[in-house]
Amino acid sequence: QTCALPIWQTLFFSATMPPEIERLADMFLYNPQRVEVARPASTATTITQRLVATSAEGHAKRERLRGLIRGEEDLKNGIIFCNRKRDVALLQKSLVSHGFDAAALHGDMDQRARTTALDGFRNGETALLVASDVAARGLDIPSVGHIFNFDVPIHADDYVHRIGRTGRAGRSGHAFMLKGARDGKYVEAIEKLIGQKIATRVME
């Protein structure tokens, strides 16, 4: 009489697969098979992407962002990404002071504050969520209409991850990136990674 041993299969899902995650997966998976639904570093065709020229100075840059947000007539909600967590708090306070409904999400916040900010955004109680990359990793909010890159990400992969929060499940989305005079090399790296030029939105 033979006894069949149980066969275990492990499935690992990830929206993105940066090198550090690949190394981690290789440590735990035996002879894995990789299945991709889109080429690496691709952006959804449902997302309209635009560059917006701006001054590098904080006040002028925040003013440009406010003008951009006000100009989007169909804006229901949006996530605004900053490179540094201290800028997340500063920008959120600035937006609130100018009458915008905005919450902050960054790594220095305690779990209760982060949960409150996320729940308010998911439930539609808060229109804008200002976030850092680390805090926004793994966010599963299916109906985000707009993404605003207040800062051009230093790492091109982060751009793909950021704008991937919109245009999901066949929905249309809009992604804007504020570009200063010193951001050219980072924008070029992003365009090389995604395989396309990002059109410029002209603002008065």
Side-chain angles (χ1 to χ4, degrees):
Q1 185 176 3
T2 60
C3 179
L5 295 175
I7 299 175
W8 298 95
Q9 185 177 41
T10 301
L11 301 178
F12 176 79
F13 297 92
S14 180
T16 57
M17 189 67 77
E20 59 269 21
I21 300 298
E22 281 195 78
R23 288 193 294 269
L24 183 64
D26 289 341
M27 291 173 58
F28 295 100
L29 302 180
Y30 173 73
N31 192 25
Q33 299 297 313
R34 183 165 178 166
V35 178
E36 296 177 342
V37 296
R39 70 175 181 84
S42 62
T43 55
T45 57
T46 54
I47 304 172
T48 302
Q49 304 174 57
R50 293 290 184 267
L51 282 172
V52 179
T54 183
S55 169
E57 296 179 7
H59 175 75
K61 192 175 182 181
R62 290 191 293 271
E63 185 177 10
R64 174 66 87 187
L65 175 66
R66 294 193 299 270
L68 182 59
I69 294 172
R70 290 189 179 107
E72 289 297 290
E73 296 179 358
D74 61 341
L75 190 148
K76 294 181 179 178
N77 64 6
I79 302 177
I80 305 167
F81 284 100
C82 298
N83 288 346
R84 294 177 295 272
K85 54 192 173 185
R86 70 171 181 266
D87 291 334
V88 170
L90 177 64
L91 180 58
Q92 184 264 340
K93 290 178 182 177
S94 174
L95 287 168
V96 170
S97 70
H98 283 85
F100 292 92
D101 183 17
L105 185 68
H106 58 78
D108 284 348
M109 297 169 61
D110 61 44
Q111 189 59 46
R112 173 179 285 186
R114 293 176 65 175
T115 300
T116 299
L118 277 174
D119 287 347
F121 186 71
R122 282 196 182 99
N123 298 335
E125 298 169 3
T126 305
L128 299 171
L129 185 67
V130 188
S132 64
D133 286 301
V134 172
R137 286 285 178 184
L139 287 185
D140 185 19
I141 305 173
S143 56
V144 177
H146 286 71
I147 297 296
F148 300 95
N149 287 286
F150 184 71
D151 296 315
V152 176
I154 296 172
H155 303 290
D157 285 341
D158 288 336
Y159 176 79
V160 178
H161 180 81
R162 289 178 181 186
I163 74 167
R165 303 304 93 201
T166 189
R168 308 182 80 180
R171 298 181 179 90
S172 61
H174 304 273
F176 296 95
M177 183 160 56
L178 301 184
K179 176 190 174 184
R182 300 178 182 177
D183 293 324
K185 65 178 182 180
Y186 301 122
V187 173
E188 289 176 6
I190 290 168
E191 292 177 333
K192 181 178 180 181
L193 180 68
I194 66 176
Q196 68 181 83
K197 298 288 287 185
I198 304 174
T200 298
R201 162 90 172 259
V202 178
M203 295 182 65
E204 295 181 0

